[in-house]
Amino acid sequence: MSEQHLLHEVDGNVAIIRINRPKVLNALSLPLMKDLATMMKQYDSDDNIHVILLSGSERAWAAGADIGDMATASSDEMRKRNQFAIWEQIKAIKKPIVAAVSGFALGGGCELMMHCDIIIASENALFGQPEINLGIIPGAGGTQRFTRAVGKATAMDVVLSGRFLSAKEALSYGLISRIVPKEHWFESALEVAAQVATKGPIALRAAKASILNSQELPLSQALSEERALFYELFSTNDQTEGMTAFAEKRKPNFTGT
Ligand code: CAA
């Protein structure tokens, strides 16, 4: 795997992946997306990793899919490329993904961000789906996940005009989880990831799966799935440990069993 467009390291139980194509504002090329999905799947099956932290640079989380990859492609070529199958692999990651976002999160970059679970954004971050300026529409969920996050009125405004949202607007519309000062945007996101990583890994996966069900399933089915997951957790050591630790007024020591 060519890894220079992605940097990665492990900090405790957190896997940190940084998108690293500074010359093109972290534009998401096809090889980068393939490697990102592969790397995320590896960390997803690594028991030592409880949370994945995905980051860009200070100037750009990612300014979209790589326009150079698509500029001369025909409809047939784009269909054959089937590039969004890679995105499905990222959607299938079971562990929580925290996004550390600074600068531009546009087009495919905004769509990748919406594949993450907790979005920590610098006060300087800018969000948008400006594909309309290129004569196309978002193709990796930008008309769907964005609309579910911000509602139809704002989605129409942003997608049809191509305008960018400030971090304050994005927070007020529910697109992101928190805004942090620009001086320590990355450290703040790492802190959140490390804190989440102290929780029981099985319960974390169940909580993520159940919340994501709310985006796809009818309410009655999602509630029934939630109940099934809730009952299942009562057969884990982590549930026994969590409740015993509470009674004994100490911090739980979750083992992921
Ligand atoms: N793909 C390829 N290259 C990109 C890029 C992208 N998405 N975004 C920026 N770049 C490149 C620029 O071409 C430029 O390269 P050169 O120095 O070789 O000219 C370099 O990054 C720096 O960019 P700018 O000089 O444009 O920087 P700026 O500060 O003036 O503007 C910006 C920043 C507003 C983000 C502007 O670069 C921009 O509008 N980028 C495109 C954003 C966009 O349209 N994203 C959607 C892509 S399509 C998509 O994502 C489809 C999908 O749903 C999957």
Side-chain angles (χ1 to χ4, degrees):
M1 187 199 301
S2 142
E3 288 182 358
Q4 66 269 27
H5 46 203
L6 293 173
L7 307 175
H8 64 122
E9 64 187 291
V10 171
D11 183 349
N13 298 113
V14 178
I16 302 169
I17 304 176
R18 294 174 198 253
I19 305 168
N20 183 43
R21 296 188 76 209
K23 287 187 183 147
V24 286
L25 304 184
N26 285 345
L28 303 169
S29 64
L30 293 173
L32 184 152
M33 288 305 296
K34 271 188 197 148
D35 287 351
L36 180 60
T38 303
M39 199 178 278
M40 281 191 157
K41 281 192 288 184
Q42 281 166 359
Y43 282 128
D44 206 29
S45 55
D46 178 343
D47 287 343
N48 184 49
I49 298 303
H50 297 183
V51 174
I52 297 170
L53 177 67
L54 182 59
S55 175
S57 67
E58 188 172 335
R59 183 157 180 229
W61 155 266
D66 194 316
I67 297 169
D69 279 353
M70 306 176 282
T72 59
S74 67
S75 294
D76 272 355
E77 280 162 358
M78 288 303 281
R79 271 188 218 104
K80 271 191 210 131
R81 230 177 244 182
N82 193 21
Q83 67 192 67
F84 299 121
I86 299 168
W87 295 70
E88 289 296 317
Q89 296 172 23
I90 296 174
K91 181 189 171 213
I93 299 295
K94 293 188 173 63
K95 289 175 185 168
I97 308 171
V98 175
V101 182
S102 174
F104 299 109
L106 304 174
C110 191
E111 290 166 311
L112 178 62
M113 183 191 85
M114 290 188 288
H115 280 67
C116 301
D117 303 308
I118 302 178
I119 299 166
I120 307 299
S122 163
E123 59 199 339
N124 77 2
L126 288 172
F127 309 85
Q129 297 288 163
E131 287 88 343
I132 204 79
N133 298 328
L134 302 169
I136 58 169
I137 67 168
T143 64
Q144 302 306 305
R145 287 196 183 88
F146 195 82
T147 306
R148 279 170 167 75
V150 306
K152 179 193 158 196
T154 303
M156 287 288 187
D157 175 17
V158 170
V159 174
L160 271 52
S161 73
R163 82 177 179 92
F164 300 165
L165 295 177
S166 67
K168 269 191 189 156
E169 283 177 288
L171 184 68
S172 74
Y173 295 135
L175 182 65
I176 60 175
S177 311
R178 303 188 201 176
I179 299 178
V180 292
K182 61 179 187 307
E183 295 76 26
H184 44 83
W185 62 278
F186 180 80
E187 292 71 19
S188 301
L190 180 57
E191 224 168 83
V192 172
Q195 204 267 336
V196 172
T198 65
K199 312 299 178 193
I202 305 175
L204 283 177
R205 288 198 297 274
K208 168 170 175 164
S210 194
I211 291 170
L212 289 179
N213 279 342
S214 75
Q215 305 295 293
E216 304 212 10
L217 301 180
L219 181 61
S220 53
Q221 194 185 339
L223 284 171
S224 132
E225 299 269 348
E226 179 191 76
R227 215 162 295 154
L229 286 167
F230 178 79
Y231 293 144
E232 256 175 52
L233 289 167
F234 281 80
S235 62
T236 65
N237 292 322
D238 281 353
Q239 174 268 331
T240 311
E241 168 63 8
M243 295 194 180
T244 306
F246 176 78
E248 293 174 355
K249 300 190 187 302
R250 61 172 173 82
K251 277 194 179 159
N253 176 27
F254 293 120
T255 56
T257 57

